[in-house]
Amino acid sequence: MNLDLINDFLAIARAGNLSAAAVQRNANHSTIYRRLHLLEEQLNCRLFERLHDGYQLTPAGEELLVHAQRIEQEADAAERILAGKDTSLQGEVRVTAPENIAYEYLPAYLEQFHKIHPQIRVSVIVSNSDLDLNRREADIAIRATKQPPDYLVGRRVLSLSWFIYGNSKYLRRAGKISTIKDINNFDWIGPDPGLLYIAAFNWFHKNVRDEQIVSRASTLNAMAKQAETGMGLVVLPVDQVDKKLTKLMAFTPGDGSDLWLLTHPDLRFSGRIKALMEFLTNAFTGEKRLIG
Amino acid sequence: MNLDLINDFLAIARAGNLSAAAVQRNANHSTIYRRLHLLEEQLNCRLFERLHDGYQLTPAGEELLVHAQRIEQEADAAERILAGKDTSLQGEVRVTAPENIAYEYLPAYLEQFHKIHPQIRVSVIVSNSDLDLNRREADIAIRATKQPPDYLVGRRVLSLSWFIYGNSKYLRRAGKISTIKDINNFDWIGPDPGLLYIAAFNWFHKNVRDEQIVSRASTLNAMAKQAETGMGLVVLPVDQVDKKLTKLMAFTPGDGSDLWLLTHPDLRFSGRIKALMEFLTNAFTGEKRLIG
DNA sequence: TCATATCTTTGCATTTATGCAATTTTAATT
DNA sequence: AATTAAAATTGCATAAATGCAAAGATATGA
């Protein structure tokens, strides 16, 4: 059996249709179609039920899926472990970071890093969701969280304080907030329910009356941009805000969060990954904009 | 990473050189060469040390080998399990048997079987060594042994009695043997030391004086053929001997052996494999030539 | 040191796989 | 029943992988 067909099988199983699977495998859908037929022929059994709106695993396909996933995991582990043993200061490093970090902080840092290690090529993947470092979708993850997943290793480089911000236009209209008790006397840009997993927002949601919330957004960046229009105040971590908003007072509920640099244990001793981890650690700890 | 390259990697690691690996993978050696380079490039590390007389794994290669073997096992398991679920009476079945069975018994049986199940194609692999049923080098193994490996399942179809044989020419010269006590009064065709794992031969080796052994051979068939020339007597299981030799007396030391039909547990319920197993069971149990 | 045998590496013709674009299928919707 | 929209197939030109054969390496033994 051509083992590589397992990759195509997995892509189809996950995507549910050929076109999406083809994108994942970067190939044409007709190629994926033909390779699936090859696999089915070689295994002499139908792996998918062809429905009008996609491919669905047959029982035999489900069976294969179990093994295919183990095969993939094993291959990923091999790749990681070999990459982890490479102490040379060259090659690619993939960093994933949330929007604000990727836009406001990384560009300057990486420009500096490139001067020191011109042989290391860095790719930035903007995302805040749990990319699969197992599958090496990224090598280093920069995340703001209180508790990173325990299958990753790394260090807490900063603690991020939260503040209440507002722009000058709104401040002129509504005056300054000076104590958290007055919270319901102001208009607010609130978080979308999807953000309530963040402790600070959870507290906010429970303590601010709904009618005080003039607008919501599903990303911190969008919240900041809305606050910049002067619609209301906003509660945000320090890293999310630039000079267009004025820092009014500390916001302590939720205990803030921490900025973590994370990587997979297998990759910890890779030369290039270690180099970038160390460089970023220094960059972030020396970052004046992020000190409360 | 192209997963199929793992197969090439394994073949090179096992064969120790490209040409032999190419045969295993049935491809040209230059293809294997190019694919190895591709793999090394993709993993960005050297997997083999090129020596003048072959390829030897580097430490990184050793590392990969562990994972590659797991990948292969997983893929083999998947193939077996899917094949095992196929209840249809069609497709290929690979049977491995020792020489004598493959030459003297199987042809007639398989001709009959083909009439009943024309859709099942049977391949016979002549071998007595431990083919890897895990890797599906064969689906059914026919083996003469007292105790088959416990990772296979199957049934004992016969017990094979052992006898002392001689051809008429030798009998005229030396007379008939009638009791085992006279064993050292005759000339013998003996087993090569490589056959001493067989209990009957082991006993023979310990109880027959070396000077009585006029000739040796490393396969039972060769022993039979030598005895047919009239050089001496020979001790053999009943299945190994045809009419050219006269059966003189039973040979009980070593308890004889049993004829087993074996398959992999995963394949037990495959339609075609079940059909052939059952057919062969009947064929062998009804075989008059094999009844002591 | 040269011949030798074995294995690796490369150029080129051929086969095979792929992408593209057009066509067909399928089932849900009008 | 016709329409539609999304996806699966298929034909054909192009690109990529492969086999073949010849050349280059490399240690071993004369």
Side-chain angles (χ1 to χ4, degrees):
Chain A
M1 183 187 65
N2 181 338
L3 262 184
D4 201 43
L5 296 176
I6 290 292
N7 279 325
D8 298 310
F9 168 79
L10 278 173
I12 301 168
R14 286 173 182 147
N17 68 69
L18 294 191
S19 322
V23 174
Q24 275 184 41
R25 295 282 295 147
N26 55 327
N28 190 281
H29 59 140
S30 51
T31 298
I32 301 296
Y33 166 79
R34 288 183 276 234
R35 294 210 281 231
L36 172 60
H37 279 248
L38 231 109
L39 182 63
E40 289 188 329
E41 205 173 281
Q42 281 175 26
L43 295 176
N44 193 34
C45 72
R46 207 163 184 66
L47 297 169
F48 292 93
E49 226 49 85
R50 277 74 164 166
L51 306 176
H52 78 285
D53 60 344
Y55 276 40
Q56 191 171 37
L57 285 166
T58 61
E62 300 273 7
E63 197 88 43
L64 180 59
L65 182 61
V66 175
H67 297 276
Q69 281 172 334
R70 290 206 205 114
I71 289 171
E72 186 193 42
Q73 277 171 25
E74 202 59 54
D76 289 338
E79 280 195 68
R80 274 200 320 269
I81 288 169
L82 290 184
K85 287 196 187 307
D86 179 6
T87 56
S88 72
L89 292 169
Q90 50 168 297
E92 203 202 10
V93 182
R94 299 156 61 78
V95 183
T96 175
E99 285 187 66
N100 62 317
I101 302 284
Y103 299 156
E104 304 302 331
Y105 298 87
L106 284 188
Y109 298 169
L110 295 181
E111 190 229 345
Q112 268 191 277
F113 183 75
H114 176 72
K115 280 185 199 149
I116 305 170
H117 296 296
Q119 301 295 321
I120 302 180
R121 298 180 313 285
V122 180
S123 300
V124 176
I125 299 147
V126 181
S127 163
N128 202 14
S129 67
D130 274 341
L131 282 203
D132 200 334
L133 296 222
N134 281 324
R135 263 192 241 164
R136 294 200 66 207
E137 288 172 1
D139 298 313
I140 297 177
I142 303 175
R143 289 291 181 264
T145 177
K146 262 292 171 192
Q147 201 170 337
D150 55 5
Y151 59 87
L152 297 180
V153 297
R155 49 184 104 171
R156 219 191 75 224
V157 288
L158 277 178
S159 82
L160 296 169
S161 310
W162 287 58
F163 294 90
I164 295 173
Y165 296 90
N167 88 334
S168 46
K169 186 174 144 199
Y170 182 76
L171 297 185
R172 276 197 298 280
R173 212 173 76 219
K176 272 202 179 179
I177 183 170
S178 53
T179 164
I180 196 79
K181 287 178 192 148
D182 294 341
I183 197 165
N184 276 301
N185 300 333
F186 292 85
D187 295 330
W188 292 94
I189 312 300
D192 199 74
L195 291 174
L196 294 186
Y197 69 94
I198 298 167
F201 287 145
N202 203 281
W203 185 95
F204 179 91
H205 176 73
K206 286 179 180 147
N207 290 276
V208 177
R209 285 201 312 272
D210 217 46
E211 56 267 32
Q212 297 306 118
I213 298 172
V214 294
S215 176
R216 295 182 185 276
S218 67
T219 71
L220 309 203
N221 199 32
M223 289 173 70
K225 298 288 182 195
Q226 292 200 22
E228 285 171 18
T229 67
M231 273 200 293
L233 301 181
V234 69
V235 162
L236 284 173
V238 63
D239 63 295
Q240 280 290 345
V241 175
D242 60 24
K243 292 171 204 130
K244 290 178 204 124
L245 289 173
T246 307
K247 188 187 290 179
L248 300 174
M249 60 173 286
F251 181 85
T252 49
D255 290 335
S257 49
D258 296 319
L259 190 69
W260 285 81
L261 287 186
L262 299 163
T263 189
H264 194 286
D266 291 344
L267 296 172
R268 196 170 8 172
F269 303 112
S270 149
R272 56 184 183 276
I273 289 167
K274 222 167 98 186
L276 184 53
M277 287 282 277
E278 278 164 18
F279 181 88
L280 289 178
T281 302
N282 288 332
F284 279 115
T285 51
E287 175 60 71
K288 292 191 186 112
R289 288 176 286 172
L290 291 176
I291 296 168
Chain B
M1 183 186 64
N2 180 337
L3 262 185
D4 202 42
L5 296 177
I6 290 292
N7 279 326
D8 299 309
F9 168 78
L10 279 173
I12 301 170
R14 285 173 182 147
N17 67 68
L18 293 192
S19 322
V23 174
Q24 275 185 40
R25 295 283 295 146
N26 56 325
N28 190 280
H29 56 144
S30 51
T31 299
I32 301 296
Y33 166 80
R34 288 183 276 234
R35 295 211 279 230
L36 172 60
H37 279 248
L38 231 106
L39 182 63
E40 290 189 329
E41 204 175 281
Q42 280 175 27
L43 296 175
N44 192 35
C45 72
R46 208 163 184 68
L47 297 169
F48 293 93
E49 224 50 82
R50 276 76 164 164
L51 306 176
H52 78 283
D53 60 342
Y55 276 41
Q56 192 172 35
L57 286 166
T58 60
E62 299 275 7
E63 196 89 42
L64 180 59
L65 183 61
V66 176
H67 297 277
Q69 281 172 334
R70 291 208 205 113
I71 288 171
E72 187 192 43
Q73 279 171 25
E74 201 60 53
D76 289 337
E79 279 195 68
R80 276 200 317 269
I81 288 168
L82 290 184
K85 287 194 186 309
D86 179 5
T87 56
S88 72
L89 293 169
Q90 50 168 297
E92 202 201 10
V93 182
R94 299 155 61 79
V95 183
T96 175
E99 285 187 66
N100 63 316
I101 302 284
Y103 298 157
E104 305 301 331
Y105 298 88
L106 284 187
Y109 299 169
L110 295 182
E111 190 228 345
Q112 270 192 274
F113 182 75
H114 176 72
K115 280 185 198 146
I116 306 169
H117 295 295
Q119 301 296 321
I120 301 181
R121 298 180 313 285
V122 180
S123 300
V124 177
I125 298 148
V126 181
S127 163
N128 203 13
S129 66
D130 274 340
L131 281 203
D132 199 335
L133 296 222
N134 279 324
R135 262 191 242 165
R136 294 199 67 206
E137 288 173 0
D139 297 315
I140 297 177
I142 303 176
R143 289 290 181 265
T145 178
K146 262 292 168 192
Q147 200 169 337
D150 56 4
Y151 59 88
L152 298 180
V153 298
R155 48 184 107 170
R156 219 191 74 223
V157 287
L158 275 180
S159 81
L160 295 171
S161 310
W162 287 57
F163 293 92
I164 294 172
Y165 296 90
N167 89 332
S168 46
K169 185 172 144 205
Y170 182 77
L171 298 185
R172 276 198 299 280
R173 211 174 76 218
K176 273 201 178 180
I177 185 168
S178 54
T179 163
I180 195 77
K181 287 177 194 151
D182 293 340
I183 197 166
N184 276 303
N185 299 334
F186 292 84
D187 295 327
W188 293 93
I189 312 298
D192 199 75
L195 291 173
L196 295 185
Y197 71 94
I198 298 168
F201 286 145
N202 203 278
W203 185 95
F204 179 90
H205 177 72
K206 286 181 182 147
N207 289 276
V208 177
R209 284 202 310 275
D210 216 48
E211 56 268 32
Q212 296 306 119
I213 298 172
V214 295
S215 177
R216 297 182 183 276
S218 68
T219 72
L220 309 203
N221 198 31
M223 288 172 70
K225 298 289 182 195
Q226 293 200 26
E228 284 171 19
T229 68
M231 274 201 290
L233 302 181
V234 70
V235 162
L236 285 172
V238 63
D239 62 297
Q240 279 293 342
V241 174
D242 61 23
K243 290 169 208 138
K244 291 177 205 124
L245 288 174
T246 308
K247 188 185 289 181
L248 301 174
M249 60 173 285
F251 180 86
T252 48
D255 291 335
S257 49
D258 297 320
L259 191 70
W260 285 81
L261 288 184
L262 300 163
T263 188
H264 193 286
D266 291 343
L267 298 171
R268 195 167 11 170
F269 302 111
S270 149
R272 57 184 182 276
I273 289 168
K274 221 166 98 186
L276 184 54
M277 287 280 279
E278 278 164 18
F279 182 88
L280 288 177
T281 301
N282 289 333
F284 279 114
T285 51
E287 175 60 70
K288 288 186 190 122
R289 287 176 287 171
L290 290 177
I291 297 169

